[in-house]
Amino acid sequence: MKVSELFMPTMKETPSDAEIESHKLMLRSGFMRQLSSGIYVYLPLGYRVLRKIENIVREEMDRAGAQEVHMSALMPKELWEESGRWAVFGPEMFKIKDRNEREYCLGPTHEEAFTYIVRNEVTSYRDLPKILYQIQTKFRDERRPRFGVMRCREFTMKDAYSFDMNEEGLDISYKKMYDAYVRIFKRCGLDVKIVEADTGAMGGSNSHEFMVPSSVGEAEIAYCKACGYAANLEKAECLDEPVENTEEIKQMQEVYTPNVRTIEELVNFLNIDAKRFVKTMIYKADDRFVAVLVRGDREVNETKLKNLLKANELELASVEDVERITGAKVGFAGPVGLSIEIYADNEVKYLKNFVVGSNKTDYHIKNVNLSDFKVTKFADLRNITQDDLCPKCLSQKVTIERGIEVGHIFKLGTKYTEAFNCVYTDEKGEKKPMIMGCYGIGINRTAAAIIEQMHDEDGIIWPITVAPYEVIVVPVNIKDEQQSKIAFEIYEDLQKKGVEVLIDDRDERAGVKFKDADLIGIPFRVTIGRKIADGRIEVRNRRTKESVEVDIESAVEFILNLINEEKARYKV
Ligand code: ATP
Ligand code: MG
């Protein structure tokens, strides 16, 4: 492809609304443009990258025995009513009506569609197991679309669904997908951390997320450098470590704390360490209200709470509800005399003479102890922190890092197959629900994550496996007949050998061309300049920034070797 003809609208300035490097670089390199909040269109270079990632995913899915299908993005309400998710999916789902007022959604995910098809078409144990997948557009009305294609409202996902006869079968399918994901991300040049993820109230280690460590990631990962334990923050378990506390129990005492509501304000006002406070948070779990206690310097882990309460929906109670339940303004809730159920984090068990809200506006109580109120249950209800020991090996404290979730695999069990009556007949003629797993990879987010991990001040450094082109041939002065002739010969020769190659035939200064080549991240740049007088040209590796001079005659052979060496880095 000639750069003079390529639709590659690069930008010199950094777009002002882009906050993170991948977003900036995808816009600057002319890979994509925004159409509306969270909605992007892909231009030729960007689309080539997405297709390459898709192809890697496709090859590895096929290798693992999964079969590609294509569901519709538009789905009728009735399908989602069968699983019960039409009502509970919430505002993230785009819902629309047809001309006859029938309701539909634009698929945010496809468990329903796959289960429906399999239910109707697969009936016998002879037809199982099956792993089906698609590469399909998903629509999610995210609360906060941001960071370009990291969190957008229309995106491409590879989603796979496995159907097995029993748990052992599911374990095998799950392992196949897990291994395929490891290969996919390696081939994409991504360094991923695989972490245990929450599975809801069912528990067990039945879900993993594939995380790309990055300071711009929206997820947090806790991991242990000693034993390799890794879990996302929602899931990471806090040990219940007994603390010996020999303090004498003191007398409860009300203190006047006018307008002092937050822990920070209290610490300053009372001059007492945050560890000596107990926070009382009021939550609405489905239709009931509960209070949750954690130490002043801790955060409630809502996933753990939701699982403990077996709630479908969990949210902080509204201001009105808090005021009604506590009889005080927000900021003064406390466990003493509270009429709703109280759940407390394990750590609270070992505290004595702590400070809590008094359920009376502008007052707190000092020297409160466990005997002063009733706890329904103590449990692990807080987020893990850097001060916590690894819950697996206990040998050292965990490290907490941010990460970008690029893939997620999940054992679903019979949640959908029971709802859809998706059963098979076993060898004895008995009907049993199939056991399902689901497996997703965000294609666009993967592209953005690669850029986050592989860029420098000059632009993107694409791994050769996903680069839009492998080589860019740059004649320094296109008007120089000799340079132009040699450049086109090398370009055409590389093309014949199956190399994906660009030639920058624009009548531009060399500096402009070099800048663009670096910005769009082409792995190899072949420069044809004055040195052709000595029969030499230059080949530069974008990743290592190393340049070598080679003879014109052996140049193509040399470049082919370099490409192969570079590709070997991403082999699995
Ligand atoms: P998140 O917690 O980031 O919202 P999720 O748990 O909703 O992700 P899944 O439903 O498991 O994600 O989707 C599978 C994959 O799809 C994710 O791992 C991610 O790579 C991608 N993905 C999810 N939501 C978006 C989005 N809004 N924009 C781009 N990619 C997304
Ligand atoms: Mg989401």
Side-chain angles (χ1 to χ4, degrees), residues 140 142 149-152 155 157 405-408 440-442 445:
R140 293 185 184 177
E142 296 280 354
V149 300
M150 283 282 183
R151 183 168 301 284
C152 44
F155 58 97
M157 196 200 287
E405 180 200 319
V406 285
H408 190 180
I441 290 180
R445 191 184 281 182

Side-chain angles (χ1 to χ4, degrees), residues 26 34 185 281 289 291 511 564-565:
M26 282 171 102
Q34 180 176 315
F185 294 120
M281 315 285 288
F289 292 93
N564 284 336
E565 274 172 30

